[in-house]
Amino acid sequence: MRPKTDLDYVELYAKKLKEDNSSFKQQKKLIESQLKSSSSLFRNMFGKADFKEKARKYIKSVSSG
């Protein structure tokens, strides 16, 4: 079966994880790395004080613009 919808992809991914969860570990490392990079970027842009709130406002303004 070839995935056609987002849910199909989720189901396929879940089945693959059940068979072999090594890809989950790889995905987890990738996501953690992206979070660390994003956090560092926004801390550098907005400083340490309230950087999460400022980052959210910035992302909202960029994505709605």
Side-chain angles (χ1 to χ4, degrees):
M1 179 185 136
R2 187 173 197 159
K4 296 179 182 174
T5 67
D6 289 343
L7 186 56
D8 291 340
Y9 281 100
V10 171
E11 289 176 4
L12 178 64
Y13 185 69
K15 286 178 186 175
K16 293 289 184 184
L17 279 179
K18 204 173 196 181
E19 295 169 9
D20 177 19
N21 73 351
S22 64
S23 60
F24 175 77
K25 292 175 186 174
Q26 186 179 7
Q27 283 293 109
K28 184 180 177 190
K29 283 183 180 181
L30 175 66
I31 291 168
E32 287 172 346
S33 173
Q34 290 173 330
L35 285 171
K36 187 176 178 181
S37 296
S38 295
S39 179
S40 177
L41 172 74
F42 286 120
R43 270 197 181 101
N44 288 335
M45 283 177 69
F46 302 117
K48 290 184 180 181
D50 302 326
F51 84 93
K52 287 183 181 180
E53 183 179 326
K54 292 174 185 175
R56 286 186 188 109
K57 286 180 183 178
Y58 172 76
I59 291 171
K60 195 178 228 183
S61 73
V62 171
S63 63
S64 66

Short mmCIF file of all heavy atoms in Angstrom, two decimals:
data_model
loop_
_atom_site.label_atom_id
_atom_site.label_comp_id
_atom_site.label_asym_id
_atom_site.label_seq_id
_atom_site.Cartn_x
_atom_site.Cartn_y
_atom_site.Cartn_z
N MET A 1 0.84 -1.20 0.00
CA MET A 1 0.00 0.00 0.00
C MET A 1 0.87 1.25 0.00
O MET A 1 1.79 1.39 0.79
CB MET A 1 -0.89 -0.01 1.25
CG MET A 1 -1.78 1.20 1.35
SD MET A 1 -2.70 1.19 2.90
CE MET A 1 -2.50 2.87 3.36
N ARG A 2 0.59 2.12 -0.88
CA ARG A 2 1.32 3.37 -0.96
C ARG A 2 0.56 4.44 -0.16
O ARG A 2 -0.64 4.64 -0.39
CB ARG A 2 1.44 3.79 -2.41
CG ARG A 2 2.32 4.97 -2.59
CD ARG A 2 2.56 5.26 -4.05
NE ARG A 2 3.71 6.12 -4.11
CZ ARG A 2 4.46 6.28 -5.16
NH1 ARG A 2 4.18 5.62 -6.24
NH2 ARG A 2 5.48 7.09 -5.13
N PRO A 3 1.26 5.13 0.78
CA PRO A 3 0.58 6.16 1.59
C PRO A 3 0.01 7.28 0.72
O PRO A 3 0.65 7.74 -0.21
CB PRO A 3 1.69 6.68 2.49
CG PRO A 3 2.77 5.67 2.43
CD PRO A 3 2.65 4.99 1.11
N LYS A 4 -1.22 7.69 1.05
CA LYS A 4 -1.88 8.75 0.29
C LYS A 4 -2.20 9.96 1.16
O LYS A 4 -2.24 11.07 0.67
CB LYS A 4 -3.16 8.23 -0.35
CG LYS A 4 -2.91 7.16 -1.38
CD LYS A 4 -4.19 6.65 -1.98
CE LYS A 4 -3.88 5.55 -2.98
NZ LYS A 4 -5.06 4.92 -3.51
N THR A 5 -2.44 9.72 2.43
CA THR A 5 -2.79 10.83 3.33
C THR A 5 -1.76 10.91 4.45
O THR A 5 -0.94 10.00 4.63
CB THR A 5 -4.18 10.60 3.97
OG1 THR A 5 -4.10 9.48 4.85
CG2 THR A 5 -5.25 10.37 2.93
N ASP A 6 -1.83 12.00 5.22
CA ASP A 6 -0.92 12.16 6.35
C ASP A 6 -1.10 11.02 7.35
O ASP A 6 -0.13 10.50 7.90
CB ASP A 6 -1.16 13.50 7.05
CG ASP A 6 -0.69 14.69 6.23
OD1 ASP A 6 0.09 14.48 5.28
OD2 ASP A 6 -1.11 15.81 6.53
N LEU A 7 -2.34 10.60 7.56
CA LEU A 7 -2.61 9.51 8.49
C LEU A 7 -1.99 8.21 8.00
O LEU A 7 -1.48 7.42 8.80
CB LEU A 7 -4.12 9.35 8.70
CG LEU A 7 -4.53 8.35 9.76
CD1 LEU A 7 -3.90 8.68 11.12
CD2 LEU A 7 -6.04 8.31 9.90
N ASP A 8 -1.99 7.98 6.69
CA ASP A 8 -1.34 6.80 6.14
C ASP A 8 0.15 6.79 6.48
O ASP A 8 0.71 5.75 6.82
CB ASP A 8 -1.51 6.73 4.62
CG ASP A 8 -2.93 6.47 4.17
OD1 ASP A 8 -3.73 5.97 4.99
OD2 ASP A 8 -3.24 6.78 3.01
N TYR A 9 0.77 7.95 6.38
CA TYR A 9 2.20 8.05 6.70
C TYR A 9 2.44 7.80 8.19
O TYR A 9 3.41 7.14 8.57
CB TYR A 9 2.76 9.41 6.30
CG TYR A 9 3.06 9.51 4.83
CD1 TYR A 9 2.18 10.15 3.96
CD2 TYR A 9 4.22 8.96 4.30
CE1 TYR A 9 2.45 10.23 2.60
CE2 TYR A 9 4.49 9.03 2.94
CZ TYR A 9 3.60 9.67 2.10
OH TYR A 9 3.87 9.74 0.77
N VAL A 10 1.56 8.30 9.03
CA VAL A 10 1.68 8.08 10.48
C VAL A 10 1.57 6.60 10.79
O VAL A 10 2.36 6.05 11.56
CB VAL A 10 0.62 8.89 11.26
CG1 VAL A 10 0.59 8.50 12.72
CG2 VAL A 10 0.86 10.38 11.11
N GLU A 11 0.60 5.94 10.18
CA GLU A 11 0.42 4.50 10.41
C GLU A 11 1.62 3.71 9.91
O GLU A 11 2.10 2.80 10.59
CB GLU A 11 -0.85 4.02 9.72
CG GLU A 11 -2.12 4.49 10.39
CD GLU A 11 -3.39 4.08 9.64
OE1 GLU A 11 -3.29 3.35 8.63
OE2 GLU A 11 -4.47 4.49 10.08
N LEU A 12 2.13 4.06 8.75
CA LEU A 12 3.30 3.38 8.20
C LEU A 12 4.51 3.58 9.12
O LEU A 12 5.24 2.63 9.43
CB LEU A 12 3.62 3.91 6.80
CG LEU A 12 4.85 3.33 6.12
CD1 LEU A 12 4.66 1.84 5.88
CD2 LEU A 12 5.12 4.05 4.81
N TYR A 13 4.71 4.80 9.60
CA TYR A 13 5.82 5.10 10.50
C TYR A 13 5.69 4.31 11.80
O TYR A 13 6.66 3.74 12.30
CB TYR A 13 5.87 6.60 10.77
CG TYR A 13 7.05 7.04 11.59
CD1 TYR A 13 8.34 7.00 11.06
CD2 TYR A 13 6.89 7.52 12.89
CE1 TYR A 13 9.43 7.42 11.81
CE2 TYR A 13 7.97 7.93 13.64
CZ TYR A 13 9.25 7.88 13.10
OH TYR A 13 10.32 8.29 13.84
N ALA A 14 4.48 4.22 12.34
CA ALA A 14 4.24 3.48 13.58
C ALA A 14 4.56 1.99 13.39
O ALA A 14 5.17 1.37 14.26
CB ALA A 14 2.81 3.67 14.04
N LYS A 15 4.17 1.44 12.26
CA LYS A 15 4.45 0.03 11.99
C LYS A 15 5.96 -0.21 11.87
O LYS A 15 6.49 -1.19 12.40
CB LYS A 15 3.75 -0.41 10.71
CG LYS A 15 2.26 -0.58 10.87
CD LYS A 15 1.61 -0.97 9.56
CE LYS A 15 0.09 -0.98 9.71
NZ LYS A 15 -0.58 -1.24 8.43
N LYS A 16 6.65 0.70 11.20
CA LYS A 16 8.09 0.57 11.04
C LYS A 16 8.79 0.67 12.40
O LYS A 16 9.75 -0.04 12.67
CB LYS A 16 8.65 1.64 10.09
CG LYS A 16 8.19 1.49 8.67
CD LYS A 16 8.85 0.30 8.03
CE LYS A 16 8.46 0.21 6.57
NZ LYS A 16 9.00 -0.98 5.93
N LEU A 17 8.32 1.57 13.25
CA LEU A 17 8.90 1.71 14.59
C LEU A 17 8.70 0.45 15.41
O LEU A 17 9.57 0.06 16.19
CB LEU A 17 8.28 2.89 15.33
CG LEU A 17 8.82 4.26 15.00
CD1 LEU A 17 8.08 5.32 15.80
CD2 LEU A 17 10.30 4.36 15.27
N LYS A 18 7.55 -0.17 15.24
CA LYS A 18 7.25 -1.40 15.97
C LYS A 18 8.24 -2.49 15.57
O LYS A 18 8.70 -3.26 16.41
CB LYS A 18 5.82 -1.83 15.68
CG LYS A 18 5.20 -2.67 16.72
CD LYS A 18 3.74 -2.87 16.38
CE LYS A 18 2.99 -3.38 17.59
NZ LYS A 18 1.59 -3.62 17.30
N GLU A 19 8.57 -2.53 14.28
CA GLU A 19 9.51 -3.53 13.76
C GLU A 19 10.95 -3.24 14.18
O GLU A 19 11.70 -4.13 14.53
CB GLU A 19 9.43 -3.59 12.24
CG GLU A 19 8.11 -4.09 11.71
CD GLU A 19 7.96 -3.88 10.22
OE1 GLU A 19 8.95 -3.52 9.55
OE2 GLU A 19 6.84 -4.08 9.71
N ASP A 20 11.32 -1.96 14.11
CA ASP A 20 12.71 -1.56 14.39
C ASP A 20 12.72 -0.11 14.84
O ASP A 20 12.50 0.79 14.04
CB ASP A 20 13.56 -1.73 13.11
CG ASP A 20 14.99 -1.26 13.30
OD1 ASP A 20 15.46 -1.15 14.44
OD2 ASP A 20 15.64 -1.00 12.28
N ASN A 21 13.01 0.11 16.12
CA ASN A 21 12.94 1.48 16.63
C ASN A 21 14.25 2.26 16.51
O ASN A 21 14.39 3.33 17.07
CB ASN A 21 12.42 1.49 18.07
CG ASN A 21 13.44 0.99 19.06
OD1 ASN A 21 14.48 0.48 18.69
ND2 ASN A 21 13.12 1.14 20.33
N SER A 22 15.21 1.75 15.74
CA SER A 22 16.46 2.49 15.57
C SER A 22 16.23 3.81 14.85
O SER A 22 16.93 4.79 15.12
CB SER A 22 17.50 1.65 14.82
OG SER A 22 17.06 1.37 13.51
N SER A 23 15.24 3.85 13.96
CA SER A 23 14.96 5.11 13.27
C SER A 23 14.38 6.14 14.23
O SER A 23 14.58 7.34 14.08
CB SER A 23 14.02 4.90 12.09
OG SER A 23 12.80 4.36 12.52
N PHE A 24 13.66 5.68 15.27
CA PHE A 24 13.14 6.58 16.28
C PHE A 24 14.29 7.27 17.01
O PHE A 24 14.26 8.47 17.24
CB PHE A 24 12.26 5.83 17.28
CG PHE A 24 11.81 6.69 18.43
CD1 PHE A 24 10.78 7.60 18.26
CD2 PHE A 24 12.42 6.60 19.67
CE1 PHE A 24 10.36 8.40 19.32
CE2 PHE A 24 12.01 7.39 20.73
CZ PHE A 24 10.98 8.29 20.55
N LYS A 25 15.30 6.51 17.37
CA LYS A 25 16.46 7.08 18.06
C LYS A 25 17.14 8.13 17.19
O LYS A 25 17.55 9.17 17.68
CB LYS A 25 17.44 5.97 18.43
CG LYS A 25 16.90 5.03 19.50
CD LYS A 25 17.85 3.88 19.74
CE LYS A 25 17.22 2.88 20.70
NZ LYS A 25 18.05 1.69 20.86
N GLN A 26 17.23 7.85 15.91
CA GLN A 26 17.84 8.79 14.96
C GLN A 26 17.00 10.05 14.86
O GLN A 26 17.52 11.17 14.89
CB GLN A 26 17.98 8.12 13.60
CG GLN A 26 18.72 8.94 12.58
CD GLN A 26 18.84 8.19 11.26
OE1 GLN A 26 18.28 7.12 11.07
NE2 GLN A 26 19.58 8.77 10.35
N GLN A 27 15.67 9.90 14.75
CA GLN A 27 14.77 11.05 14.67
C GLN A 27 14.86 11.89 15.94
O GLN A 27 14.85 13.10 15.89
CB GLN A 27 13.33 10.58 14.47
CG GLN A 27 13.00 10.14 13.07
CD GLN A 27 13.05 11.28 12.09
OE1 GLN A 27 13.95 11.34 11.28
NE2 GLN A 27 12.12 12.17 12.15
N LYS A 28 14.92 11.21 17.08
CA LYS A 28 15.00 11.91 18.36
C LYS A 28 16.26 12.76 18.43
O LYS A 28 16.22 13.92 18.84
CB LYS A 28 14.98 10.89 19.51
CG LYS A 28 14.97 11.54 20.87
CD LYS A 28 14.93 10.52 21.98
CE LYS A 28 15.01 11.22 23.31
NZ LYS A 28 15.22 10.29 24.41
N LYS A 29 17.39 12.21 17.99
CA LYS A 29 18.63 12.98 17.98
C LYS A 29 18.52 14.19 17.06
O LYS A 29 18.97 15.28 17.39
CB LYS A 29 19.80 12.10 17.51
CG LYS A 29 20.30 11.16 18.55
CD LYS A 29 21.49 10.38 18.03
CE LYS A 29 22.01 9.41 19.06
NZ LYS A 29 23.18 8.66 18.57
N LEU A 30 17.91 14.00 15.90
CA LEU A 30 17.74 15.10 14.95
C LEU A 30 16.87 16.20 15.55
O LEU A 30 17.22 17.39 15.49
CB LEU A 30 17.11 14.58 13.66
CG LEU A 30 16.76 15.63 12.61
CD1 LEU A 30 18.01 16.28 12.07
CD2 LEU A 30 15.96 15.00 11.48
N ILE A 31 15.75 15.83 16.15
CA ILE A 31 14.84 16.81 16.74
C ILE A 31 15.51 17.55 17.89
O ILE A 31 15.41 18.78 18.00
CB ILE A 31 13.53 16.13 17.19
CG1 ILE A 31 12.74 15.68 15.95
CG2 ILE A 31 12.70 17.07 18.05
CD1 ILE A 31 11.59 14.76 16.27
N GLU A 32 16.22 16.82 18.75
CA GLU A 32 16.92 17.46 19.86
C GLU A 32 17.98 18.44 19.36
O GLU A 32 18.15 19.52 19.91
CB GLU A 32 17.54 16.41 20.77
CG GLU A 32 16.52 15.66 21.60
CD GLU A 32 17.10 14.49 22.37
OE1 GLU A 32 18.24 14.06 22.08
OE2 GLU A 32 16.40 13.99 23.25
N SER A 33 18.66 18.07 18.30
CA SER A 33 19.66 18.96 17.71
C SER A 33 19.01 20.22 17.15
O SER A 33 19.53 21.33 17.33
CB SER A 33 20.40 18.21 16.59
OG SER A 33 21.27 19.07 15.91
N GLN A 34 17.86 20.08 16.49
CA GLN A 34 17.16 21.24 15.95
C GLN A 34 16.66 22.15 17.06
O GLN A 34 16.74 23.38 16.94
CB GLN A 34 15.99 20.78 15.08
CG GLN A 34 16.43 20.14 13.78
CD GLN A 34 15.28 19.53 13.01
OE1 GLN A 34 14.29 19.08 13.57
NE2 GLN A 34 15.42 19.51 11.69
N LEU A 35 16.16 21.56 18.14
CA LEU A 35 15.69 22.37 19.27
C LEU A 35 16.84 23.16 19.89
O LEU A 35 16.70 24.34 20.20
CB LEU A 35 15.04 21.48 20.34
CG LEU A 35 13.66 20.97 20.02
CD1 LEU A 35 13.23 19.93 21.05
CD2 LEU A 35 12.66 22.10 19.98
N LYS A 36 17.97 22.50 20.05
CA LYS A 36 19.14 23.16 20.63
C LYS A 36 19.61 24.31 19.74
O LYS A 36 19.91 25.40 20.21
CB LYS A 36 20.26 22.14 20.82
CG LYS A 36 21.46 22.66 21.57
CD LYS A 36 22.47 21.57 21.81
CE LYS A 36 23.69 22.11 22.52
NZ LYS A 36 24.70 21.06 22.75
N SER A 37 19.64 24.07 18.44
CA SER A 37 20.06 25.11 17.49
C SER A 37 19.10 26.29 17.49
O SER A 37 19.52 27.45 17.49
CB SER A 37 20.14 24.54 16.08
OG SER A 37 21.13 23.55 16.01
N SER A 38 17.80 26.00 17.48
CA SER A 38 16.79 27.07 17.49
C SER A 38 16.88 27.89 18.77
O SER A 38 16.83 29.12 18.74
CB SER A 38 15.39 26.49 17.37
OG SER A 38 15.22 25.88 16.13
N SER A 39 17.04 27.20 19.88
CA SER A 39 17.15 27.88 21.16
C SER A 39 18.36 28.80 21.17
O SER A 39 18.28 29.96 21.59
CB SER A 39 17.26 26.84 22.28
OG SER A 39 17.40 27.47 23.52
N SER A 40 19.47 28.31 20.69
CA SER A 40 20.70 29.10 20.64
C SER A 40 20.53 30.31 19.72
O SER A 40 20.93 31.43 20.07
CB SER A 40 21.85 28.22 20.14
OG SER A 40 23.02 28.96 20.01
N LEU A 41 19.92 30.10 18.57
CA LEU A 41 19.70 31.19 17.62
C LEU A 41 18.87 32.30 18.24
O LEU A 41 19.23 33.48 18.19
CB LEU A 41 19.00 30.66 16.37
CG LEU A 41 18.53 31.71 15.37
CD1 LEU A 41 19.72 32.29 14.63
CD2 LEU A 41 17.53 31.14 14.41
N PHE A 42 17.74 31.92 18.86
CA PHE A 42 16.86 32.94 19.43
C PHE A 42 17.45 33.60 20.67
O PHE A 42 17.22 34.77 20.91
CB PHE A 42 15.47 32.35 19.71
CG PHE A 42 14.68 32.14 18.45
CD1 PHE A 42 14.25 30.88 18.09
CD2 PHE A 42 14.38 33.20 17.61
CE1 PHE A 42 13.53 30.67 16.92
CE2 PHE A 42 13.66 33.02 16.44
CZ PHE A 42 13.24 31.75 16.10
N ARG A 43 18.24 32.86 21.43
CA ARG A 43 18.93 33.49 22.57
C ARG A 43 19.89 34.56 22.07
O ARG A 43 20.02 35.63 22.66
CB ARG A 43 19.68 32.45 23.38
CG ARG A 43 18.87 31.85 24.46
CD ARG A 43 19.76 31.14 25.50
NE ARG A 43 18.94 30.57 26.52
CZ ARG A 43 18.62 29.28 26.59
NH1 ARG A 43 19.08 28.44 25.71
NH2 ARG A 43 17.84 28.85 27.55
N ASN A 44 20.58 34.25 20.99
CA ASN A 44 21.51 35.22 20.41
C ASN A 44 20.78 36.42 19.82
O ASN A 44 21.27 37.54 19.88
CB ASN A 44 22.39 34.56 19.35
CG ASN A 44 23.41 33.61 19.93
OD1 ASN A 44 23.81 33.74 21.09
ND2 ASN A 44 23.84 32.64 19.15
N MET A 45 19.62 36.19 19.25
CA MET A 45 18.85 37.28 18.64
C MET A 45 18.20 38.18 19.69
O MET A 45 18.20 39.40 19.54
CB MET A 45 17.73 36.72 17.74
CG MET A 45 18.19 36.22 16.41
SD MET A 45 16.83 35.52 15.44
CE MET A 45 15.87 36.96 15.05
N PHE A 46 17.65 37.57 20.76
CA PHE A 46 16.82 38.32 21.69
C PHE A 46 17.37 38.43 23.11
O PHE A 46 16.76 39.05 23.97
CB PHE A 46 15.42 37.69 21.77
CG PHE A 46 14.72 37.63 20.45
CD1 PHE A 46 14.38 36.41 19.89
CD2 PHE A 46 14.41 38.77 19.75
CE1 PHE A 46 13.74 36.34 18.67
CE2 PHE A 46 13.76 38.72 18.54
CZ PHE A 46 13.43 37.50 17.99
N GLY A 47 18.52 37.83 23.38
CA GLY A 47 19.06 37.85 24.72
C GLY A 47 18.43 36.77 25.57
O GLY A 47 17.52 36.07 25.16
N LYS A 48 18.92 36.63 26.79
CA LYS A 48 18.46 35.54 27.65
C LYS A 48 17.12 35.81 28.30
O LYS A 48 16.36 34.90 28.59
CB LYS A 48 19.51 35.26 28.74
CG LYS A 48 20.76 34.62 28.18
CD LYS A 48 21.74 34.28 29.27
CE LYS A 48 22.98 33.65 28.67
NZ LYS A 48 23.96 33.28 29.69
N ALA A 49 16.80 37.05 28.57
CA ALA A 49 15.56 37.39 29.26
C ALA A 49 14.37 37.28 28.32
O ALA A 49 14.32 37.91 27.27
CB ALA A 49 15.64 38.81 29.82
N ASP A 50 13.43 36.43 28.67
CA ASP A 50 12.17 36.27 27.92
C ASP A 50 12.38 35.92 26.45
O ASP A 50 11.55 36.26 25.60
CB ASP A 50 11.30 37.53 28.02
CG ASP A 50 10.96 37.89 29.44
OD1 ASP A 50 10.78 36.98 30.27
OD2 ASP A 50 10.86 39.10 29.74
N PHE A 51 13.47 35.22 26.13
CA PHE A 51 13.73 34.95 24.72
C PHE A 51 12.66 34.06 24.10
O PHE A 51 12.35 34.20 22.92
CB PHE A 51 15.13 34.36 24.52
CG PHE A 51 15.24 32.87 24.72
CD1 PHE A 51 15.12 32.02 23.64
CD2 PHE A 51 15.46 32.33 25.97
CE1 PHE A 51 15.22 30.66 23.82
CE2 PHE A 51 15.57 30.98 26.15
CZ PHE A 51 15.44 30.14 25.08
N LYS A 52 12.06 33.14 24.88
CA LYS A 52 11.03 32.26 24.31
C LYS A 52 9.81 33.06 23.87
O LYS A 52 9.26 32.85 22.79
CB LYS A 52 10.62 31.19 25.33
CG LYS A 52 11.66 30.12 25.52
CD LYS A 52 11.16 29.06 26.48
CE LYS A 52 12.19 27.99 26.70
NZ LYS A 52 11.74 26.95 27.62
N GLU A 53 9.39 33.98 24.71
CA GLU A 53 8.23 34.81 24.38
C GLU A 53 8.52 35.69 23.16
O GLU A 53 7.71 35.80 22.24
CB GLU A 53 7.85 35.68 25.57
CG GLU A 53 6.61 36.52 25.35
CD GLU A 53 6.25 37.36 26.56
OE1 GLU A 53 6.47 36.89 27.69
OE2 GLU A 53 5.75 38.47 26.35
N LYS A 54 9.70 36.28 23.14
CA LYS A 54 10.10 37.13 22.01
C LYS A 54 10.23 36.31 20.74
O LYS A 54 9.85 36.77 19.65
CB LYS A 54 11.40 37.85 22.33
CG LYS A 54 11.27 38.87 23.43
CD LYS A 54 12.62 39.45 23.81
CE LYS A 54 12.51 40.40 25.00
NZ LYS A 54 13.83 40.86 25.45
N ALA A 55 10.75 35.09 20.85
CA ALA A 55 10.90 34.22 19.69
C ALA A 55 9.53 33.85 19.12
O ALA A 55 9.33 33.86 17.91
CB ALA A 55 11.68 32.96 20.07
N ARG A 56 8.57 33.54 20.00
CA ARG A 56 7.22 33.20 19.54
C ARG A 56 6.59 34.37 18.79
O ARG A 56 5.96 34.20 17.74
CB ARG A 56 6.34 32.80 20.72
CG ARG A 56 6.65 31.45 21.28
CD ARG A 56 5.67 31.05 22.35
NE ARG A 56 6.11 29.83 22.99
CZ ARG A 56 6.58 29.75 24.24
NH1 ARG A 56 6.65 30.83 24.99
NH2 ARG A 56 6.97 28.60 24.74
N LYS A 57 6.75 35.58 19.34
CA LYS A 57 6.20 36.76 18.67
C LYS A 57 6.86 36.96 17.31
O LYS A 57 6.20 37.27 16.32
CB LYS A 57 6.41 38.01 19.54
CG LYS A 57 5.50 38.07 20.73
CD LYS A 57 5.76 39.32 21.55
CE LYS A 57 4.90 39.36 22.80
NZ LYS A 57 5.18 40.53 23.63
N TYR A 58 8.17 36.77 17.25
CA TYR A 58 8.91 36.92 16.00
C TYR A 58 8.42 35.90 14.96
O TYR A 58 8.11 36.26 13.82
CB TYR A 58 10.41 36.75 16.24
CG TYR A 58 11.22 36.70 14.97
CD1 TYR A 58 11.48 37.87 14.26
CD2 TYR A 58 11.70 35.50 14.47
CE1 TYR A 58 12.22 37.83 13.09
CE2 TYR A 58 12.43 35.44 13.30
CZ TYR A 58 12.68 36.62 12.61
OH TYR A 58 13.40 36.57 11.45
N ILE A 59 8.32 34.64 15.36
CA ILE A 59 7.89 33.60 14.44
C ILE A 59 6.46 33.86 13.95
O ILE A 59 6.15 33.71 12.77
CB ILE A 59 7.99 32.20 15.10
CG1 ILE A 59 9.46 31.85 15.29
CG2 ILE A 59 7.28 31.14 14.27
CD1 ILE A 59 9.70 30.62 16.12
N LYS A 60 5.60 34.29 14.87
CA LYS A 60 4.22 34.61 14.50
C LYS A 60 4.17 35.74 13.48
O LYS A 60 3.43 35.69 12.50
CB LYS A 60 3.43 34.99 15.75
CG LYS A 60 1.94 35.00 15.57
CD LYS A 60 1.26 35.34 16.87
CE LYS A 60 0.16 34.39 17.15
NZ LYS A 60 -0.58 34.72 18.36
N SER A 61 4.98 36.77 13.68
CA SER A 61 4.99 37.90 12.75
C SER A 61 5.54 37.52 11.39
O SER A 61 5.05 37.99 10.36
CB SER A 61 5.78 39.08 13.34
OG SER A 61 7.16 38.81 13.32
N VAL A 62 6.53 36.66 11.37
CA VAL A 62 7.13 36.22 10.09
C VAL A 62 6.18 35.30 9.35
O VAL A 62 6.03 35.41 8.12
CB VAL A 62 8.49 35.52 10.35
CG1 VAL A 62 9.01 34.88 9.09
CG2 VAL A 62 9.50 36.51 10.90
N SER A 63 5.53 34.39 10.06
CA SER A 63 4.67 33.40 9.39
C SER A 63 3.34 33.99 8.93
O SER A 63 2.73 33.50 8.00
CB SER A 63 4.42 32.20 10.31
OG SER A 63 3.72 32.59 11.45
N SER A 64 2.89 35.07 9.56
CA SER A 64 1.61 35.66 9.16
C SER A 64 1.79 36.76 8.12
O SER A 64 0.82 37.21 7.53
CB SER A 64 0.88 36.23 10.38
OG SER A 64 1.61 37.31 10.92
N GLY A 65 3.00 37.16 7.92
CA GLY A 65 3.28 38.30 7.07
C GLY A 65 3.32 38.02 5.64
O GLY A 65 3.09 38.66 4.71
#
